[in-house]
Amino acid sequence: MAATSGKESWLGGAGLMALGVLVLCCSSVSPCPQRCTCHPLSVQAMSGADCAGKSLKVIPRARGGEKHLQVVDLSGNRLRSLPDDAFSAFPSLKYLFLSDNMIQVVEEYAFRGVPDLEVVYLSENGLITLPPALFDDCVVLRKVVLRGNPLLRLRPPAPPSRPVAFSSLDGASSPPQLPPFISSQSLQELDLSSCAVDFIPDEAFSALPNLKKLNLSSNPLTEVDPRPLGSLCSLNTLDLSGNPIRCGCSTGRLSRWLRERHVETARALTCTRPHSDDMITVDEKEEEKMSRVYSPPCDMTLLKEDKFYAACQARLAEAEELKRRAVENKKTWIGVGSAVAAAVVLVLLVVWIFRKRTQKKRLKEERAARLAAKEKNKLDQQPLRDDADG
């Protein structure tokens, strides 16, 4: 009986030791931010940290090994601001969820250190503005969701007041150009629905050459001129549903711009007539009617928009050219490296062959010398044998 209890106690101790080692190994292999739960995800075999609904007031402190995390969910917390380098502890981060917090301030370098970031959800927060260069370090960013923030007029933070010399091409002075709302060379989808946007500055989207989907639904926009959209030369989908757009020249121009640029809308473009609640669908026939009804007649030309469009295409062409040159330079360096490597290998081969031949020649000479010495010894010993015989 005593032997049995001793055996059970030994097994229990061994089991506890094994469990302790297992816990230690797991904690050292995949540490997790404080108050979060980390687990592998079935989608694309990514690893994620679930920090949602934890009443967090600051970004959870890292424990030193979160470099492998690709998905971090911080939605439903009490975050009020995003400081510089807020996510630098997660250099592999691809998907970030920050919805339903109280974020009002985002510092300019909040997303520095996460170059692989692809998707950001910042919906249902208290953002009034964003730094234009916020996502400059996120070179593969493709989707940003800002739904439900009081962004109002999509204006960036006011620059410091100082005199600025500015002159247009024709020499006439004009006010300085505002920076864009946000800038990104890679962004493809932007959701600004329910953001209380009532005005879109001309420069708002001027730094988004690859944007394909723009959602401006459920805002109080009464007028949408195509001028702010002119620089979106990659745009293929625009959602303006749920806006109280009034019929007028700008609406007619917008309809023509959408048709000429082959941009699809979530719903047919509609507007309400002046002094009336009648809603009409704006089509090509209605555009023609608008150009004649209003006094003075609407100017339906899209010259300025064409200039913006051409500038956007030029930026895309420049980016493609830089990419092409980078590929060519890489190929050139690979070719040069290959040639140098081949030359080194050839030199080493020649040296090896020369050493082999030298070694072979030396061995041959040594063998010949040994044979000569042997023959000489034989000759030296031959007369002695003759004398002995005599």
Side-chain angles (χ1 to χ4, degrees), residues 225-366:
D225 193 274
R227 188 176 293 111
L229 307 175
S231 56
L232 298 175
C233 58
S234 299
L235 190 70
N236 56 36
T237 305
L238 176 65
D239 191 347
L240 287 169
S241 58
N243 283 280
I245 298 174
R246 295 195 295 261
C247 299
C249 293
S250 62
T251 309
R253 283 196 297 270
L254 175 63
S255 177
R256 175 169 292 185
W257 185 88
L258 292 171
R259 191 176 68 256
E260 291 185 358
R261 297 285 178 262
H262 306 288
V263 177
E264 297 182 0
T265 54
R267 296 180 186 174
L269 180 63
T270 60
C271 62
T272 54
R273 295 186 185 277
H275 314 294
S276 172
D277 292 333
D278 296 340
M279 186 170 290
I280 63 169
T281 300
V282 184
D283 53 18
E284 194 169 356
K285 187 180 294 184
E286 192 64 31
E287 291 171 23
E288 182 65 26
K289 189 184 296 184
M290 287 179 181
S291 66
R292 290 184 283 102
V293 168
Y294 293 99
S295 180
C298 295
D299 181 9
M300 301 297 285
T301 56
L302 303 174
L303 295 179
K304 290 184 177 180
E305 290 73 23
D306 289 339
K307 290 179 181 178
F308 297 151
Y309 185 82
C312 174
Q313 287 187 317
R315 285 198 300 273
L316 286 179
E318 183 180 359
E320 285 296 321
E321 178 64 18
L322 290 174
K323 190 184 296 184
R324 185 186 65 80
R325 289 181 182 177
V327 171
E328 287 184 354
N329 289 338
K330 186 177 180 180
K331 289 180 178 178
T332 301
W333 281 111
I334 290 175
V336 171
S338 301
V340 170
V344 170
V345 170
L346 183 60
V347 169
L348 292 175
L349 182 62
V350 170
V351 170
W352 181 79
I353 292 173
F354 178 77
R355 290 187 63 184
K356 271 292 194 181
R357 288 183 176 179
T358 303
Q359 187 178 10
K360 188 176 181 181
K361 183 178 180 181
R362 188 174 65 252
L363 291 174
K364 187 176 181 182
E365 290 175 350
E366 290 176 355

Side-chain angles (χ1 to χ4, degrees), residues 23-33 37-40 47 63 65-66 68-69:
V23 170
L24 181 62
C25 290
C26 291
S27 62
S28 63
V29 171
S30 56
C32 198
T37 304
C38 291
H39 49 81
S47 56
R63 294 178 176 175
E66 290 81 359
H68 66 287
L69 290 175

Side-chain angles (χ1 to χ4, degrees), residues 68-93:
H68 66 287
L69 290 175
Q70 296 168 297
V71 181
V72 174
D73 188 354
L74 285 160
S75 57
N77 283 293
R78 298 179 182 178
L79 304 177
R80 293 183 178 272
S81 63
L82 298 180
D84 288 338
D85 303 308
F87 307 100
S88 58
F90 314 108
S92 300
L93 190 61

Side-chain angles (χ1 to χ4, degrees), residues 81-85 105-111 131 134:
S81 63
L82 298 180
D84 288 338
D85 303 308
V105 178
V106 179
E107 298 296 338
E108 184 174 2
Y109 302 110
F111 294 102
L134 179 63

